Amino acid sequence: MIPADFQLHEPLAKRRIVVAMSGGVDSSVVAALAAHSGTETIGVTLQLYDHGEAVGRAGSCCAGRDIRDARAVCDKLGIAHYVFDHASSFREQVIDDFADEYLAGRTPIPCVKCNMGPKFTDLFALARDLGADCLATGHYVRRVMGPAGPELHRAFDPARDQSYFLFATTAAQLDFLRFPLGGMPKPAVRELAAELGLGVAAKPDSQDICFVPDRDYASLVKKLRPEAETSGDIVDEAGRKLGEHKGLIHFTVGQRRGLEIGGAAEPYYVLRLEPETRRVIVGPKRALAVRAARIEGINWLGGDYTGPMTAKVRSLAKPVPARLEDDRVVFETPEYGVAPGQAAVLYAGDRVLGGGWIAETERAELAEA
């Protein structure tokens, strides 16, 4: 068993850890690490949805089969397990918001909204009601004690790092949270699960958006908001009609495939979406270059930090040099694929300084003109 530091005061036998358990291998190993640390450990699962296909589908989380898996792990470890139904709040805060963002021509990140709502708000209240000293999760990030208190850092394994999705974690939440997997590579986590005889050791990871069957975002949005499939025009920046589309929900900023227009001298990309006119505006790749982005709902974890920083504007993007000027993230060199609805997350090395939601962008070409 790999020892885990839950950053709790001794004696550990008098400490209580609540583990957020989704039914996957990561949270199951966290529960095992907590149980073997000598603390009193309680597993808690939020039932977030249970719509048809998700009940027994591999790659879901927080639904039927996953709850049974979490309970089986707790039984194996000899710890208590509680399930709380938070499907209504998940529907309002995450699923409805996901549909509304697409309807408004933005590209949502439901995983962040889930962390901001049901996971880190509802679970916090439950953990405190259970008298916990901390809430532990299976996220791949690190909680590092700095001069001014706990800091949020990237995971050691860059392929698993989830810090982008946790930018909205508040300082008060970080005080209570623990992330014991942040220093471990995923293969080691699976090996540990197998050594412990946990039935989820080989279970597939959950998909990017757990509540979307078969990753068909458009069908889900259309089901929730039938008006989302209203057709409209595909136009260039001069307003010339190049084709038609079957609904804005089929497009995101930076998209090239699926436009079904021809005759252009160079490939066209989606530059922006206009929900008020139902138009998809397209243009050459150079027109996607962004000099700056205005962000809203800024969460700052950096204290009085004023040094150099980098920014990520998509979960899979590489951090690029940038600076924060009030509510604007200004990029050192033009950045591509910056879409309203996504997040801009700021870093100082591995440390997460904070971030916010991209509300609008400033085009590099126009700034240079």
Side-chain angles (χ1 to χ4, degrees):
M1 168 66 67
I2 300 173
D5 180 11
F6 285 89
Q7 300 174 322
L8 296 174
H9 296 299
E10 299 280 355
L12 293 181
K14 293 187 177 180
R15 303 292 167 235
R16 178 178 295 167
I17 298 176
V18 166
V19 180
M21 299 188 68
S22 65
V25 63
D26 296 325
S27 59
S28 297
V29 168
V30 170
L33 292 171
H36 282 77
S37 72
T39 62
E40 180 186 358
T41 303
I42 300 172
V44 171
T45 301
L46 298 183
Q47 180 169 332
L48 299 181
Y49 67 95
D50 202 358
H51 57 62
E53 311 94 312
V55 178
R57 176 171 54 86
S60 64
C61 84
C62 307
R65 192 181 82 182
D66 305 287
I67 292 172
R68 294 193 293 273
D69 287 343
R71 176 159 291 150
V73 168
C74 289
D75 289 344
K76 171 83 174 177
L77 298 172
I79 63 175
H81 179 244
Y82 300 106
V83 179
F84 296 90
D85 185 352
H86 281 243
S88 59
S89 66
F90 184 75
R91 170 67 182 256
E92 294 169 4
Q93 297 177 53
V94 181
I95 299 180
D96 284 347
D97 177 82
F98 177 81
D100 290 339
E101 285 288 279
Y102 263 113
L103 207 61
R106 294 186 288 267
T107 307
I109 320 175
C111 295
V112 177
K113 295 294 179 71
C114 183
N115 289 329
M116 290 173 64
K119 285 187 178 175
F120 283 2
T121 300
D122 299 353
L123 267 176
F124 262 66
L126 290 170
R128 292 194 184 280
D129 287 346
L130 291 169
D133 292 285
C134 70
L135 172 66
T137 81
H139 289 102
Y140 284 84
V141 290
R142 290 180 294 138
R143 180 184 185 270
V144 176
M145 291 305 298
E151 301 172 351
L152 187 64
H153 286 239
R154 284 194 185 100
F156 278 128
D157 184 351
R160 298 299 305 177
D161 175 57
Q162 293 174 297
S163 60
Y164 179 85
F165 299 104
L166 297 179
F167 83 88
T169 304
T170 65
Q173 290 172 339
L174 192 56
D175 218 30
F176 193 56
L177 282 164
R178 301 294 188 274
F179 309 107
L181 303 188
M184 298 174 63
K186 182 60 177 268
V189 173
R190 288 201 180 276
E191 289 173 11
L192 187 53
E195 289 174 13
L196 294 169
L198 303 182
V200 295
K203 186 175 181 178
D205 291 333
S206 59
Q207 66 178 47
D208 291 339
I209 300 179
C210 61
F211 58 85
V212 180
D214 303 319
R215 302 188 181 186
D216 188 352
Y217 311 146
S219 291
L220 176 66
V221 176
K222 182 175 66 173
K223 179 179 178 181
L224 296 171
R225 304 288 187 271
E227 67 272 26
E229 209 170 37
T230 304
S231 61
D233 293 337
I234 299 175
V235 302
D236 63 16
E237 293 185 276
R240 290 187 293 265
K241 182 176 177 179
L242 304 176
E244 296 182 354
H245 65 80
K246 296 180 180 179
L248 296 182
I249 57 173
H250 299 286
F251 303 94
T252 57
V253 171
Q255 180 176 330
R256 178 182 172 186
R257 296 179 182 275
L259 292 176
E260 297 180 357
I261 53 176
E266 55 187 314
Y268 272 178
Y269 297 77
V270 175
L271 303 182
R272 64 183 183 275
L273 305 172
E274 290 185 350
E276 63 278 5
T277 62
R278 300 192 301 277
R279 297 195 308 175
V280 175
I281 291 82
V282 300
K285 185 176 182 179
R286 62 180 176 276
L288 282 171
V290 166
R291 173 180 177 269
R294 183 176 66 83
I295 58 176
E296 298 176 331
I298 298 175
N299 180 58
W300 185 252
L301 296 170
D304 57 1
Y305 180 85
T306 58
M309 61 183 69
T310 58
K312 284 182 69 169
V313 295
R314 299 178 309 283
S315 62
L316 297 179
K318 291 183 178 179
V320 296
R323 64 185 184 274
L324 183 63
E325 297 180 352
D326 296 323
D327 63 348
R328 293 169 67 245
V329 176
V330 182
F331 305 105
E332 228 175 69
T333 57
E335 183 69 357
Y336 291 81
V338 187
Q342 294 279 290
V345 181
L346 302 166
Y347 296 85
D350 282 340
R351 182 186 176 188
V352 179
L353 297 173
W357 300 100
I358 298 170
E360 57 186 351
T361 60
E362 298 174 22
R363 203 164 120 182
E365 278 188 346
L366 295 178
E368 294 167 1

